[in-house]
Amino acid sequence: MPAPVVFVHGLRTSSSMWDPQVRILGDRGWRCVAPDLPGHGDRRGEPFTVEAALATIDEAIAGWGEPVHLVGCSLGGMFALHAAALTDRRLVSVVAAGCTARPSVGSARAYGRASGLVDRIGGERAVRRAMGEEAAAHFLRKGRADLATVDATVVTVGGFDLLDDVARIDAPVTFLNGHLDQFRGEERRFLRAARRGRLVVLPFGTHMVNLTDPGRYTTVLESLLLDAESLS
């Protein structure tokens, strides 16, 4: 039986962004869990702190009682890398998707302000236009985190030294990006920082490619997880 998979979601969305992967992989015999980070999904209303977010990821890893694959996208990919660098638990692999960029505190705050502007202009309608109805339905299923949570979250990740985090991870790390992902800018630097790293750029997809092209994405992801297991 393959190792369990812990999924970490991106900013404003929730565990629901991984619904297609949890369903498809579950149908193929994988055991998966996707927790909500504080301030997101079923935990909207809770304050977001880095300590609470890391504790959430650690509890999800520990809950299996065995080594797991840790998979994160966007904000979730950054937190997956940070958590993997800090944990004493053995991981089978880490997949960091759509997160090969290092936001400064200033650029992170600008991103948060842009989120507020999008809300004022289009709100959830803008999400549906950008992703399409089916993808947006998963992204929005548990609602969106409020802008105070967005601000707290982006300032947190703006303070991470992600290249240092990557260099500290013992497990194999795969950087997985859609062809048109806006967070590809430093993917080669992230790859060079990893002890056991590889870069996979899909020939399709933008930032939320796991939702806009879930079938092909999940097939690639599964092959990456199986490859990592062959090395463990």
Side-chain angles (χ1 to χ4, degrees):
M1 178 179 293
V5 185
V6 173
F7 287 101
V8 188
H9 66 77
L11 182 64
R12 297 215 77 178
T13 182
S14 68
S15 57
S16 67
M17 72 160 281
W18 292 113
D19 283 352
Q21 284 68 52
V22 170
R23 178 183 58 79
I24 295 169
L25 290 177
D27 289 344
R28 297 175 183 176
W30 292 81
R31 296 164 291 162
C32 305
V33 66
D36 287 328
L37 296 175
H40 296 75
D42 293 336
R43 300 175 66 184
R44 282 184 295 161
E46 291 185 31
F48 181 92
T49 67
V50 63
E51 294 82 7
L54 291 172
T56 298
I57 297 169
D58 185 67
E59 289 166 8
I61 295 170
W64 291 106
E66 60 183 289
V68 307
H69 298 281
L70 183 59
V71 179
C73 178
S74 192
L75 166 80
M78 295 177 185
F79 262 95
L81 292 172
H82 194 59
L86 296 176
T87 189
D88 292 326
R89 306 184 193 280
R90 190 171 78 83
L91 300 171
V92 180
S93 76
V94 179
V95 178
C99 65
T100 45
R102 293 176 298 157
S104 66
V105 172
S107 64
R109 284 192 182 278
Y111 185 88
R113 289 193 294 271
S115 295
L117 179 62
V118 169
D119 268 15
R120 289 192 293 275
I121 294 173
E124 292 187 358
R125 293 191 303 278
V127 177
R128 294 190 177 93
R129 285 195 299 270
M131 293 186 185
E133 287 294 336
E134 185 173 352
H138 293 298
F139 189 91
L140 298 169
R141 180 169 67 81
K142 290 187 175 184
R144 294 186 303 161
D146 61 29
L147 292 177
T149 298
V150 171
D151 187 62
T153 306
V154 297
V155 169
T156 294
V157 298
F160 289 169
D161 185 339
L162 289 171
L163 293 182
D164 182 68
D165 287 335
V166 168
R168 294 168 61 186
I169 299 171
D170 290 326
V173 180
T174 299
F175 304 104
L176 176 61
N177 289 326
H179 178 64
L180 296 177
D181 194 312
Q182 64 265 38
F183 289 101
R184 285 187 58 190
E186 294 185 275
E187 59 189 19
R188 293 290 174 181
R189 294 192 70 180
F190 275 71
L191 180 62
R192 289 194 296 270
R195 300 182 192 177
R196 303 166 64 190
R198 62 178 166 177
L199 171 64
V200 176
V201 179
L202 301 169
F204 55 89
T206 54
H207 190 51
M208 288 286 110
V209 61
N210 76 296
L211 289 174
T212 57
D213 202 339
R216 285 196 291 174
Y217 181 94
T218 308
T219 295
V220 172
L221 176 61
E222 182 179 32
S223 71
L224 297 175
L225 300 179
L226 290 172
D227 284 349
E229 297 211 352
S230 71
L231 300 174
S232 63

